[in-house]
């Protein structure tokens, strides 16, 4: 499976021992201060179960393994990385789920936090997986391509506001933590990266159903330059479509607006 631009973390001392796979577009994070900032952000919340996605060479993992009194698991697809991690960090034995995050079952039965330096070309899919698991994931801290990170945290009325923004913000409070520049990696990627935090809301906006909400949001942004009555005409009766809100474009609606509209759907 080609993960495209996959910004994996690797300790600088181990670069000669580990293969950088060009076929996977790997870029290894060499800046230890970034790992430390991620872990510091992670520890602002309490948790007893933690899942790391994409441990790569283990520079972040080595910090996570030192956190006391937690149950830790790492999700890693790459065979070579699994062998390397088990050889380099004996404490990780028995804690690796050797699959893609997109294919595994929910890793814990109770609440768990997710952290990771995510494969960039499946980062949106990872976010949708977090949404699937939202009842069990109160906090996620992850690194994304900056463009994706900005979409997740963007506000209504901005050009970056879209499907990801609305769906994530409906269930999580979002925060952009910090940039990670290309020179923090070896080799440097051509894009800036960004670390964001999701913290599950204590209360969600009332909606007819989550399915209705998802369908509505995706349809609305499918023709984001048009007034809502065009992409949504099949979902509402003619009289409802005459309401003023349907003269707006999708990016002008808040999460609460979308949630409220679900009650008027056919």
């Amino acid at each position: 499976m080609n993960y495209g631009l996959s910004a994996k973390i690797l300790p600088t001392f181990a670069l000669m021992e580990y293969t950088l796979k060009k076929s996977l577009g790997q870029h290894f994070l060499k800046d230890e201060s970034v790992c430390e900032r991620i872990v510091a952000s992670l520890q602002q919340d309490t948790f007893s179960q933690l899942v790391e996605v994409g441990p790569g060479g283990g520079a972040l993992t080595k910090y996570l393994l030192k956190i006391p009194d937690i149950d830790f698991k790492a999700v890693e697809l790459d065979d070579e990385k699994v062998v390397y991690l088990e050889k380099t960090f004996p404490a990780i034995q028995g804690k690796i789920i050797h699959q893609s995050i997109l294919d595994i079952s929910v890793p814990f039965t109770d609440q768990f936090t997710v952290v990771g330096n995510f494969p960039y070309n499946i980062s949106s899919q990872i976010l949708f997986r977090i949404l699937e698991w939202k009842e069990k994931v109160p906090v996620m801290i992850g690194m994304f391509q900056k463009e994706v990170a900005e979409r997740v945290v963007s506000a209504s009325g901005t050009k970056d506001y879209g499907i990801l923004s609305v769906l994530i913000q409906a269930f999580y409070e979002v925060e952009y933590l910090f940039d990670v520049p290309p020179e923090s990696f070896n080799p440097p990627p051509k894009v800036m990266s960004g670390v964001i935090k999701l913290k599950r809301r204590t209360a969600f906006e009332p909606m007819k159903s989550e399915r209705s909400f998802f369908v509505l949001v995706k349809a609305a942004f499918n023709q984001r330059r048009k007034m809502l009555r065009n992409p949504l005409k099949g979902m509402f009766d003619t009289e409802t479509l005459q309401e003023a809100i349907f003269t707006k474009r999708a990016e002008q609606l808040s999460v609460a607006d979308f949630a409220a509209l679900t009650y008027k759907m056919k």
Side-chain angles (χ1 to χ4, degrees), residues 26-202:
Q26 293 174 343
H27 297 259
F28 295 99
L29 184 62
K30 62 182 181 180
D31 190 340
E32 289 290 335
S33 67
V34 173
C35 301
E36 292 168 355
R37 291 181 72 181
I38 290 173
V39 174
S41 299
L42 186 68
Q43 292 184 299
Q44 290 178 4
D45 297 279
T46 58
F47 54 90
S48 59
Q49 298 185 128
L50 178 66
V51 173
E52 182 188 7
V53 178
L60 182 58
T61 313
K62 70 176 182 283
Y63 290 99
L64 302 178
L65 287 169
K66 294 177 182 177
I67 299 175
D69 304 320
I70 67 164
D71 192 352
F72 173 74
K73 293 183 180 180
V75 181
E76 179 57 66
L77 177 64
D78 191 318
D79 296 346
E80 186 183 36
K81 290 195 188 75
V82 170
V83 172
Y84 176 86
L85 289 165
E86 291 182 338
K87 176 183 177 182
T88 309
F89 307 103
I92 206 171
Q93 292 281 347
K95 300 180 185 295
I96 298 178
I97 301 173
H98 189 185
Q99 289 179 269
S100 165
I101 184 64
L102 303 183
D103 297 329
I104 67 171
S105 301
V106 62
F108 288 108
T109 56
D110 299 320
Q111 302 283 295
F112 62 95
T113 293
V114 176
V115 65
N117 183 24
F118 302 133
Y120 286 2
N121 77 328
I122 62 166
S123 55
S124 294
Q125 293 166 271
I126 291 173
L127 285 165
F128 284 118
R129 174 49 59 97
I130 296 299
L131 281 177
E132 289 176 29
W133 293 345
K134 62 184 178 298
E135 301 301 330
K136 294 185 179 296
V137 181
V139 175
M140 185 221 75
I141 294 179
M143 188 187 300
F144 298 85
Q145 183 174 334
K146 184 175 182 178
E147 177 184 326
V148 175
E150 288 180 334
R151 287 211 305 270
V152 174
V153 304
S154 61
S156 59
T158 63
K159 64 180 180 63
D160 291 326
Y161 186 71
I163 293 173
L164 268 181
S165 319
V166 178
L167 297 185
I168 296 292
Q169 291 176 34
F171 304 102
Y172 287 91
E173 296 174 2
V174 296
E175 181 182 0
Y176 192 101
L177 297 181
F178 56 89
D179 287 341
V180 182
E183 55 267 27
S184 294
F185 300 87
N186 179 41
K190 295 180 180 179
V191 297
M192 184 74 80
S193 300
V195 178
I196 62 173
K197 177 178 181 178
L198 309 184
K199 189 167 185 175
R200 190 174 59 207
R201 295 185 178 278
T202 54

Side-chain angles (χ1 to χ4, degrees), residues 167-264:
L167 297 185
I168 296 292
Q169 291 176 34
F171 304 102
Y172 287 91
E173 296 174 2
V174 296
E175 181 182 0
Y176 192 101
L177 297 181
F178 56 89
D179 287 341
V180 182
E183 55 267 27
S184 294
F185 300 87
N186 179 41
K190 295 180 180 179
V191 297
M192 184 74 80
S193 300
V195 178
I196 62 173
K197 177 178 181 178
L198 309 184
K199 189 167 185 175
R200 190 174 59 207
R201 295 185 178 278
T202 54
F204 306 151
E205 291 289 346
M207 59 185 68
K208 183 179 179 180
S209 69
E210 288 184 14
R211 183 181 182 281
S212 296
F213 182 74
F214 277 55
V215 169
L216 176 65
V217 172
K218 290 179 179 180
F221 281 99
N222 190 43
Q223 299 180 49
R224 62 180 300 149
R225 295 181 183 277
K226 295 186 177 181
M227 290 190 298
L228 286 170
R229 63 168 54 118
N230 292 297
L232 302 182
K233 61 185 177 182
M235 297 182 180
F236 298 86
D237 60 40
T238 303
E239 183 179 352
T240 303
L241 287 170
Q242 301 311 306
E243 295 178 12
I245 194 169
F246 291 95
T247 64
K248 296 182 178 181
R249 298 188 303 277
E251 66 191 38
Q252 296 175 282
L253 269 61
S254 66
V255 171
D257 291 333
F258 278 112
L261 273 182
T262 61
Y263 290 106
K264 298 184 178 183

